[in-house]
Amino acid sequence: MGGGLAGLTAAIHLTQGGHAVTVIEKSPYPRHKVCGEYISNETLPYLKTLGVDPMKDGAIPIDTFNFTHINGKNFRSSLPLGGYGISRFKMDALLFEKARDLGCTFVFDRVVEVRFEQGLFYVETANDKTFKAGLVIGAHGKRSNLDVSLSRKFAARKSPWLAIKAHYTCDVQENEVALHNFKGGYCGISKVEDDAVNVCYLATYESFKNYRDITAYQDQVLCENPYLRDFFATAKMTFKKPLTIGQVSFDNKELVKDHILMCGDSATLIHPLCGNGMAMAIMGARLLSKTIIKHYNLGTLNREKLEADYQKAWKKEFYGRLRAGRMLQSVFQNETLSGLTVNVAKTFPALIPKVISLTHGKP
Ligand SMILES: Cc1cc2nc3c(=O)[nH]c(=O)nc-3n(C[C@H](O)[C@H](O)[C@H](O)COP(=O)(O)OP(=O)(O)OC[C@H]3O[C@@H](n4cnc5c(N)ncnc54)[C@H](O)[C@@H]3O)c2cc1C
């Protein structure tokens, strides 16, 4: 359920592993998504084994991190692993084409309900179709109608975050992902293919609610940071209007709910300032696919053991990054602490790559 990065990666891996996979996705490809569009190099060797190489499709290599504070101070650091910039418009379409060419079935419809009865799933869609399956992966992203229908706890809680993204043309440092702090959030800027510049920011509702629209908010809040002021003074937006999403939740979520195996953001979203959510979606899909293939190869499927193995492996792989991400988020949300971080980073530059490594995995 869901053909974003997690769903598509799992679809390719499982199809290559000899399984019959159907992806049910509500939005046809290609389409833009709210996302910073910087992907860690952790993913590259694995993607190549799946037959997908973003670097051959125009992705931009990125090896430097630039953090700027509202007070005009900044620090630059090398990125220990580095990454690449590619739009979700391009990346999701690349994975979709690969999965489709391998023979994976695609259904463009919205899943509205899932039932598990006597060892089988019944997946119902908005167009009144019912699909039967032995296994279901929940790869439906941060928050979906499905989370409500599955009565997931986080879906009942309000989140204080919203996010906004658009592409621009502007002259920016090509090999750099920048994170610009402002009161109430932070804004990522980096290049993607075809000379486009992605601008994507996370902001609290609290800081946004007093402004009449996105332009007023950007002019009066984001542009307090001199780097963002300079950027917006010269950059030209290429989208008709920015994309927005609300209720961006960083709560812990169940990794397995009603026997559905959750993957990607449906399993938990790491704070975007880490630039690791997409890697976690891709590498999480790898981990899940490998666990599924291993269990099916045993002959009879022991669902309980499969679910337990997956949860154990997921926690081992990702808990450390999530913890580090939460810690960094609380530092960067605080104006004084983030100002101090700039000073510390300038005095001890070797510290920053070490901290970044805590939020990332290895290839
Ligand atoms: C502001 C912001 C900036 C970010 N920046 C970065 C970054 O720079 N680098 C990084 O690595 N990560 C970043 N992330 C995180 C990253 O975007 C996610 O971790 C990643 O998209 C997760 O992929 P996914 O496949 O789990 O979910 P998604 O990509 O959201 O895919 C979910 C899919 O499920 C479909 N779907 C949902 N409900 C249904 C339904 N009922 N039926 C059928 N289909 C359904 C959706 O249409 C969608 O295609 C950022 C996140 C935010 C909020």
Side-chain angles (χ1 to χ4, degrees):
M1 305 187 297
L5 297 180
L8 290 168
T9 303
I12 297 170
H13 193 135
L14 289 168
T15 307
Q16 286 178 340
H19 292 267
V21 181
T22 297
V23 177
I24 310 180
E25 164 57 51
K26 65 182 168 67
S27 315
Y29 310 94
R31 72 277 195 269
H32 287 288
K33 281 192 80 96
V34 174
C35 182
E37 303 185 328
Y38 163 82
I39 311 187
S40 164
N41 275 342
E42 173 187 358
T43 55
L44 273 184
Y46 171 57
L47 286 173
K48 283 182 192 163
T49 68
L50 299 182
V52 176
D53 186 353
M55 305 317 287
K56 285 195 180 147
D57 272 278
I60 307 284
I62 294 176
D63 59 14
T64 304
F65 174 61
N66 178 17
F67 177 82
T68 79
H69 191 267
I70 309 169
N71 64 15
K73 289 186 178 168
N74 81 310
F75 68 82
R76 280 196 168 79
S77 164
S78 62
L79 288 162
L81 254 184
Y84 50 98
I86 186 165
S87 71
R88 295 297 299 271
F89 191 84
K90 185 94 173 192
M91 185 67 191
D92 290 33
L94 279 179
L95 292 167
F96 160 64
E97 282 158 18
K98 185 73 200 174
R100 185 200 53 197
D101 294 351
L102 285 168
C104 175
T105 305
F106 278 83
V107 176
F108 291 102
D109 202 345
R110 190 162 56 92
V111 180
V112 289
E113 207 182 299
V114 191
R115 283 174 288 117
F116 181 75
E117 287 167 9
Q118 293 166 353
L120 262 192
F121 289 94
Y122 296 82
V123 180
E124 294 184 1
T125 69
N127 287 330
D128 280 339
K129 297 239 167 64
T130 303
F131 296 85
K132 275 195 276 179
L135 265 190
V136 167
I137 297 177
H140 48 275
K142 294 172 252 313
R143 184 183 287 260
S144 155
N145 61 307
L146 270 170
D147 295 311
V148 178
S149 88
L150 289 167
S151 306
R152 297 184 81 191
K153 285 188 211 105
F154 85 91
R157 289 190 288 266
K158 284 211 159 140
S159 155
W161 297 102
L162 61 97
I164 295 169
K165 169 241 177 101
H167 281 179
Y168 288 78
T169 51
C170 187
D171 203 13
V172 298
Q173 192 80 30
E174 178 145 317
N175 63 330
E176 184 172 285
V177 57
L179 194 66
H180 303 285
N181 227 180
F182 60 87
K183 278 196 187 98
Y186 48 83
C187 175
I189 299 186
S190 54
K191 267 201 140 167
V192 293
E193 76 281 357
D194 298 334
D195 232 16
V197 178
N198 180 345
V199 174
C200 183
Y201 57 91
L202 191 73
T204 57
Y205 284 101
E206 189 55 32
S207 70
F208 194 80
K209 69 180 183 199
N210 297 326
Y211 298 86
R212 33 170 224 293
D213 56 29
I214 291 173
T215 311
Y217 184 67
Q218 285 179 185
D219 287 350
Q220 291 170 57
V221 181
L222 273 74
C223 287
E224 271 192 87
N225 180 321
Y227 293 90
L228 288 171
R229 196 184 313 139
D230 286 352
F231 177 85
F232 285 115
T234 51
K236 290 214 167 15
M237 189 167 72
T238 56
F239 282 13
K240 278 200 186 110
K241 56 178 188 165
L243 301 178
T244 59
I245 50 167
Q247 295 300 323
V248 182
S249 165
F250 302 103
D251 287 356
N252 282 326
K253 299 173 181 170
E254 306 91 343
L255 293 174
V256 178
K257 174 78 181 164
D258 300 347
H259 302 291
I260 300 165
L261 303 159
M262 301 296 176
C263 191
D265 285 358
S266 331
T268 285
L269 171 62
I270 189 168
H271 281 282
L273 62 82
C274 303
N276 204 243
M278 290 193 277
M280 282 178 61
I282 292 168
M283 301 313 276
R286 170 181 182 263
L287 193 151
L288 175 57
S289 305
K290 282 178 72 172
T291 313
I292 290 171
I293 289 170
K294 186 179 109 193
H295 276 266
Y296 268 88
N297 285 348
L298 293 175
T300 42
L301 178 71
N302 181 338
R303 198 178 294 277
E304 215 173 291
K305 181 87 174 54
L306 162 65
E307 291 171 7
D309 278 1
Y310 173 54
Q311 293 182 82
K312 193 169 161 208
W314 196 97
K315 285 176 187 167
K316 187 164 171 240
E317 183 67 31
F318 297 122
Y319 259 26
R321 302 183 203 190
L322 289 169
R323 248 197 323 267
R326 286 195 180 116
M327 183 204 59
L328 281 181
Q329 168 76 15
S330 46
V331 169
F332 286 124
Q333 227 178 309
N334 180 303
E335 204 177 319
T336 316
L337 283 180
S338 63
L340 271 174
T341 307
V342 177
N343 295 338
V344 172
K346 280 188 179 295
T347 322
F348 306 103
L351 253 184
I352 298 303
K354 290 206 166 72
V355 174
I356 295 172
S357 296
L358 295 176
T359 63
H360 283 62
K362 295 190 176 64

